[in-house]
Amino acid sequence: MFDYAPAPEARSIVDIKPSYGLFINGEFVDPAEGGTFKTISPATEEVLAEVAEAGPSDVDAAVRAARAAFRTVWGPMPGAARAKYLYRIARLIQERARELAVLESLDNGKPIRESRDVDIPLAAAHFFYYAGWADKLEHAGFGPAPRPLGVAAQVIPWNFPLLMLAWKIAPALACGNTVVLKPAETTPLSALVFAEICQQADLPPGVVNIVTGAGATGAALVAHPDVDKVAFTGSTAVGREIARAVAGTRKRLTLELGGKAANIVFDDAPIDQAVEGIVNGIFFNQGHVCCAGSRLLVQESIYEPLLDSLKRRMARLRVGDPLDKNTDIGAINSAAQLERIRALAEVGSAEGAVPWSPPCELPDRGFWFAPTIFTGVSQAHRIAREEIFGPVLSVLTFRTPAEAVEKANNTPYGLSAGIWTEKGSRILEIADRLRAGVVWANTFNRFDPSSPFGGYKESGYGREGGRHGLEAYLAH
């Protein structure tokens, strides 16, 4: 294995302001109450910017701005006119793609290759896709005269900050709703630059409002009485709290929560291709993926050759500077998340599973965790049942297809799964029996704006993406 010369992306392309206010009614404003918090780079622990923390009165101002814009401008606007704004936003994301990619990697810790090649292009693609729907809603299959709901409160996580924003905002706006969005407190910067993009696009004031803050800000937004729709992506625990808060109100709710996906490899699968899919399934975005293939189910007859191949591949993964174009695995998003990953990995060892990591030198500063696989895992182990949300893979085996399905479905989650086999008939049969919202065949972590995404059981309910993603934002 040869050494790669450093290939850092230029940080100077991003002009991060020292401080950011709240984006309410088309303008950046100081919070009326609440204070500020710092957002840091997880790779270096340096402070990137100071960000306003919205209090209840700030959330109320944002919701009132959204309601006014819905009644006077955005709700009555013809779909074709709304589409023009969405197309404009999509093109501006493309024009500022390099800047957004660097900003996302700085604030989130993910490798620049991923933010450049996945996050930002997909974010633009979602706005393009839903712009196409804006004047065709009566043909979406949700009745002859579907109507927008009103004001959508949207709370997004830190693992795909701009992409999750696009998943939420694009369909809401296409349907004629206005939005108040709260980004995660550890990754607010790309949402605040998106607010600048809304200004660039001359989006009418109040159509999109961005309130930054921690859990209390999100709770105030979800509980606001003048919100018509709540959309949340994040942990199952917080999802339960939101479901309780919304219960008994008129608010519509969609939840996209945790996962513990099974990646099933049958004995006729091409091993090298499967290994690439396994690596992509669990080490993409440092495993900070709700649909990550964190449980590998391998047919017994190929267990040893597949494990040998997987270890060889993992030994070539490069961990380090997220802004280096050679980096495969960047920094863990926060100190709190790193502590959770470490704690669950220690539990795995204590319960008798055997960890293995390739030799890799981790940086001295920042939050880092080496890519790790656990063998000797049983279904009773916590690492096989709980979502670790990090670069940690549990390896289990099976003998028959029926056993594979049983083990795959033996989880409180049901977000995604992967199947690796040469037989198309087996793919269809197994996929039909898996209790998962998305099943990938001979690939993993492939996303497209025209394809719906969502889960069963403790992975939430409702669908985002595709025609299905419109339904949650329409009254019909």
Side-chain angles (χ1 to χ4, degrees), residues 46 111 156 176 206 221 314 410 423 455 468:
E46 66 175 302
I156 59 172
L221 177 57
M314 286 174 62
N410 183 22
K423 297 183 177 70
H468 307 67

Side-chain angles (χ1 to χ4, degrees), residues 10 77 83 88 117 121 131 135 148 158 185 244 296 303 321-322 364 391-392 398 434 439 452 454 457 463:
M77 186 182 289
R88 200 177 296 166
D117 298 345
D135 62 348
W158 44 259
E185 62 269 30
R244 281 193 286 267
L296 175 62
Y303 171 75
D321 180 8
D364 296 328
V392 179
F398 67 92
L434 292 174
V439 181
K457 300 189 285 188
R463 294 293 180 264

Side-chain angles (χ1 to χ4, degrees), residues 93-108:
I93 291 172
Q94 287 184 321
E95 285 175 18
R96 299 180 68 168
R98 190 178 172 205
E99 171 195 356
L100 286 165
V102 172
L103 183 69
E104 201 78 311
S105 289
L106 276 172
D107 202 23
N108 171 278

Side-chain angles (χ1 to χ4, degrees), residues 69-90:
F70 173 69
R71 284 185 180 141
T72 61
V73 184
W74 199 250
M77 186 182 289
R82 290 199 302 266
K84 290 178 183 177
Y85 285 103
L86 288 168
Y87 280 125
R88 200 177 296 166
I89 288 169

Side-chain angles (χ1 to χ4, degrees), residues 277-294:
I278 293 162
V279 167
N280 181 44
I282 186 59
F283 301 126
F284 172 63
N285 198 29
Q286 296 74 254
H288 297 333
V289 186
C290 47
C291 54
S294 54

Side-chain angles (χ1 to χ4, degrees), residues 236 258-260 385 387 411-415 435 456-459:
T236 296
K260 193 69 182 174
R385 301 194 61 78
E387 185 179 36
T411 171
Y413 298 107
L415 191 56
R435 194 71 172 149
Y456 294 100
K457 300 189 285 188
E458 290 188 18
S459 290

Side-chain angles (χ1 to χ4, degrees), residues 104-439:
E104 201 78 311
S105 289
L106 276 172
D107 202 23
N108 171 278
K110 67 177 62 192
I112 186 71
R113 282 192 303 116
E114 292 177 9
S115 51
R116 179 194 68 197
D117 298 345
V118 179
D119 293 42
I120 310 306
L122 267 178
H126 274 78
F127 279 97
F128 277 125
Y129 175 77
Y130 282 110
W133 270 116
D135 62 348
K136 305 173 187 69
L137 297 175
E138 65 271 24
H139 306 296
F142 305 121
R147 304 180 317 280
L149 295 171
V151 176
Q154 302 177 326
V155 181
I156 59 172
W158 44 259
N159 55 341
F160 293 93
L162 190 70
L163 181 55
M164 290 293 103
L165 175 150
W167 277 32
K168 296 282 188 288
I169 290 181
L173 297 192
C175 292
N177 303 278
T178 54
V179 165
V180 182
L181 177 132
K182 190 200 89 72
E185 62 269 30
T186 60
T187 54
L189 294 184
S190 55
L192 293 165
V193 171
F194 179 81
E196 294 175 3
I197 287 173
C198 291
Q199 290 177 323
Q200 268 186 284
D202 290 325
L203 191 70
V207 174
V208 169
N209 305 273
I210 310 251
V211 290
T212 44
T217 304
L221 177 57
V222 166
H224 196 286
D226 201 26
V227 161
D228 301 292
K229 151 79 185 171
V230 175
F232 172 73
T233 296
S235 73
T236 296
V238 176
R240 282 198 193 99
E241 291 177 24
I242 289 173
R244 281 193 286 267
V246 170
T249 71
R250 59 181 174 76
K251 297 172 187 172
R252 296 268 288 274
L253 175 65
T254 49
L255 298 171
E256 196 264 280
L257 307 174
K260 193 69 182 174
N263 211 353
I264 307 168
V265 184
F266 287 94
D267 57 8
D268 63 338
I271 284 183
D272 289 344
Q273 183 185 345
V275 163
E276 288 302 312
I278 293 162
V279 167
N280 181 44
I282 186 59
F283 301 126
F284 172 63
N285 198 29
Q286 296 74 254
H288 297 333
V289 186
C290 47
C291 54
S294 54
R295 289 184 299 146
L296 175 62
L297 302 182
V298 186
Q299 199 151 15
E300 278 185 4
S301 56
I302 60 162
Y303 171 75
E304 289 183 6
L306 185 132
L307 199 62
D308 290 344
S309 181
L310 177 59
K311 287 181 175 180
R312 282 196 303 273
R313 180 66 182 88
M314 286 174 62
R316 288 169 172 76
L317 293 173
R318 293 177 295 279
V319 181
D321 180 8
L323 289 185
D324 192 321
K325 301 181 192 78
N326 297 320
T327 295
D328 297 303
I329 297 180
I332 302 301
N333 180 257
S334 66
Q337 185 57 30
L338 177 60
E339 182 53 39
R340 172 171 171 78
I341 295 167
R342 281 178 175 159
L344 279 168
E346 286 168 9
V347 166
S349 298
E351 290 182 340
V354 181
W356 181 88
S357 297
C360 60
E361 200 172 317
L362 300 179
D364 296 328
R365 288 184 61 77
F367 315 126
W368 306 91
F369 195 89
T372 300
I373 56 175
F374 275 94
T375 53
V377 179
S378 80
Q379 294 183 84
H381 283 149
R382 281 181 62 188
I383 56 169
R385 301 194 61 78
E386 296 183 27
E387 185 179 36
I388 299 174
F389 221 61
V392 179
L393 177 66
S394 298
V395 185
L396 301 93
T397 60
F398 67 92
R399 290 183 180 178
T400 65
E403 185 186 352
V405 170
E406 185 181 345
K407 285 185 172 179
N409 287 338
N410 183 22
T411 171
Y413 298 107
L415 191 56
S416 62
I419 303 169
W420 298 84
T421 176
E422 292 280 275
K423 297 183 177 70
S425 58
R426 178 181 280 165
I427 289 169
L428 295 172
E429 182 199 357
I430 299 295
D432 195 44
R433 293 162 61 192
L434 292 174
R435 194 71 172 149
V438 177
V439 181

